[in-house]
Amino acid sequence: MSVATAAFIFTLTALSMICGTVLMIMHMSTGGGPKKRKETEAEEARLIQEMYESLGRLDRRVESLETILLEQERRERSVR
């Protein structure tokens, strides 16, 4: 790959990221009226609550798996 090709790909990627960022900012700033914003905030709050609950369940699963692994290691050590 030549330097010119690499520079072109880098420039294209940078421009894409800049355009995407600008479009996201425009979309966020024109979120509609107060009613639309309240609906969006309520939806975001609901999603955050779901994520929090899911992380709690994930934490319990990880702790269970850690316990299982530790018990297996203890059994293997006692067999030796």
Side-chain angles (χ1 to χ4, degrees):
M1 180 185 304
S2 70
V3 175
T5 305
F8 175 74
I9 292 173
F10 176 76
T11 304
L12 188 62
T13 304
L15 286 174
S16 299
M17 291 175 66
I18 291 169
C19 290
T21 304
V22 169
L23 288 174
M24 285 179 61
I25 290 170
M26 288 174 50
H27 178 70
M28 290 171 58
S29 67
T30 59
K35 183 179 179 184
K36 179 69 175 174
R37 279 193 214 113
K38 285 183 182 179
E39 291 172 1
T40 302
E41 288 175 1
E43 177 68 13
E44 289 174 352
R46 186 184 64 76
L47 289 172
I48 291 170
Q49 183 66 30
E50 285 179 12
M51 288 171 47
Y52 179 77
E53 291 169 358
S54 295
L55 285 173
R57 288 192 300 269
L58 180 63
D59 185 45
R60 287 190 297 275
R61 289 179 186 158
V62 168
E63 287 177 1
S64 297
L65 289 172
E66 288 173 343
T67 303
I68 292 169
L69 288 173
L70 288 173
E71 288 175 0
Q72 283 180 344
E73 285 179 7
R74 276 191 222 126
R75 279 189 231 134
E76 289 174 2
R77 287 182 189 156
S78 65
V79 170
R80 292 181 190 176

